[in-house]
Amino acid sequence: MGFAGAMVVAMAVDALSGWPSWLFARIGHPVTWLGRLIGAIDRGWNRAADPPALRRAAGIAGALLVIAVSVVIGWMIQSLLPTGWIEVVLVGILSWPLVALRSLHDHVAAVAKPLRASDIAAAREAVSRIVGRDPTALDEAGIARAAIESLAENASDGIVAPVFWGALFGLPGVLGYKAINTLDSMIGHRSERHEAFGSAAARIDDVANFIPARLTAFLFVLLAPRRSEALSCMTRDARRHRSPNAGWPEAAMAGALGVRLSGPRVYHGSITNEPWLNEGARDPLAADIGEGLTVYRRAMLLLAGVLAILAFA
């Protein structure tokens, strides 16, 4: 339970400071360090001339190597720390960069601000920093929808999942999860280059996020202004999403706000027809981003409170 207390420390430090830009300029960020390792493995092991089976095997080996290196580094650092409450505090501080509590809030809020002022161009620029879809094809509803979906999905991937694994295993759990999530972000997508090589990374990420995604969804339901709608939408629509995990927090958020999410979107000039979550509800607007952020803040406070009770009760 001491690791639960460490995750409260990590959440508190990140909520207060985020990852300062001056620190990023000096040393980068642990995720960028992981990204360099993954990029090097991708360039060296993912050879276009190899048959798909060999590329798939190389992808499995590469993913396991990155995860193992991350877990071992976390274990080695943690083993050097003094025991007791000093360990709890230090593990929390070391985990802080891997809990994107404030960053997610600030990036989503940065979309809401120009959208409320009807500055569509600035809102498109802001939303392009957090989603991969073509921002030029987005109107006000599309921008709001993209921001709310990113908020819901990344609340799970960026905060709840690393905190969950950190509460169980401490620093090795946080670093191991972050390696899995970064692998999925970089090579886990279905493209010609990564269809075979990244398949293992995508499947491992699905497993690692199975519980955190559903936990995030239930936190949203508990703190929703429309609790019964959030629960109904989550249980009805979560499995309609293309992702086995992202649909849970997104569907819960759609019901919580009384809006429809997902649906068709444009990637690189091509329309992807995704099913609607909470189909039949209205389109979201700028004000709904703010309401979504309120649900998010309350959910993260509840999560921190539960962890504190587990650690200190």
Side-chain angles (χ1 to χ4, degrees):
M1 292 299 99
F3 291 142
M7 294 305 103
V8 175
V9 173
M11 293 177 74
V13 174
D14 189 73
L16 291 171
S17 66
W19 188 248
S21 56
W22 64 265
L23 191 56
F24 181 83
R26 285 179 177 271
I27 65 171
H29 188 275
V31 171
T32 65
W33 307 340
L34 280 168
R36 292 192 193 103
L37 175 59
I38 295 166
I41 292 173
D42 185 25
R43 290 189 298 273
W45 296 10
N46 186 14
R47 296 182 289 266
D50 291 340
L54 184 55
R55 295 175 79 175
R56 190 172 292 108
I60 294 171
L64 293 178
L65 175 62
V66 172
I67 296 166
V69 167
S70 302
V71 170
V72 168
I73 290 173
W75 175 81
M76 290 176 64
I77 294 172
Q78 190 166 282
S79 68
L80 297 173
L81 301 178
T83 57
W85 289 112
I86 296 176
E87 181 186 25
V88 170
V89 173
L90 291 177
V91 168
I93 292 173
L94 290 168
S95 300
W96 147 50
L98 304 172
V99 179
L101 193 73
R102 181 162 183 163
S103 174
L104 176 58
H105 183 280
D106 290 352
H107 277 87
V108 174
V111 179
K113 184 177 180 180
L115 199 59
R116 283 195 299 267
S118 300
D119 188 346
I120 299 297
R124 284 173 175 162
E125 181 181 355
V127 83
S128 70
R129 302 188 189 112
I130 57 174
V131 298
R133 66 196 71 173
D134 183 2
T136 62
L138 299 176
D139 56 8
E140 180 182 1
I143 294 168
R145 186 178 300 117
I148 294 168
E149 289 170 14
S150 180
L151 174 66
E153 181 178 0
N154 286 295
S156 174
D157 293 357
I159 300 99
V160 177
V163 164
F164 174 81
W165 291 109
L168 289 178
F169 302 112
L171 194 57
V174 178
L175 280 170
Y177 171 77
K178 213 62 184 181
I180 292 169
N181 189 242
T182 308
L183 280 160
D184 181 62
S185 298
M186 292 185 66
I187 65 172
H189 43 84
R190 290 186 172 179
S191 64
E192 183 178 353
R193 176 169 177 78
H194 294 115
E195 179 72 30
F197 187 78
S199 59
R203 298 292 79 77
I204 295 169
D205 184 77
D206 288 343
V207 173
N209 281 297
F210 184 88
I211 295 175
R214 287 149 182 81
L215 176 58
T216 307
F218 278 105
L219 287 171
F220 288 163
V221 169
L222 288 172
L223 281 305
R226 301 167 181 82
R227 193 173 302 164
S228 61
E229 291 179 38
L231 179 61
S232 175
C233 185
M234 180 189 71
T235 54
R236 183 186 67 241
D237 290 349
R239 295 176 181 85
R240 302 183 67 202
H241 200 281
R242 70 185 184 281
S243 165
N245 294 319
W248 289 82
E250 288 187 24
M253 185 64 82
L257 303 181
V259 300
R260 63 176 184 171
L261 298 177
S262 194
R265 70 277 307 275
V266 178
Y267 291 104
H268 309 295
S270 300
I271 297 177
T272 301
N273 289 308
E274 301 291 344
W276 290 103
L277 303 177
N278 206 22
E279 187 174 13
R282 63 178 177 84
D283 284 321
L285 300 173
D288 296 303
I289 302 176
E291 190 171 358
L293 285 167
T294 298
V295 174
Y296 164 76
R297 287 192 297 268
R298 291 173 177 171
M300 296 307 103
L301 280 171
L302 177 58
L303 176 62
V306 170
L307 290 169
I309 291 171
L310 289 174
F312 305 121

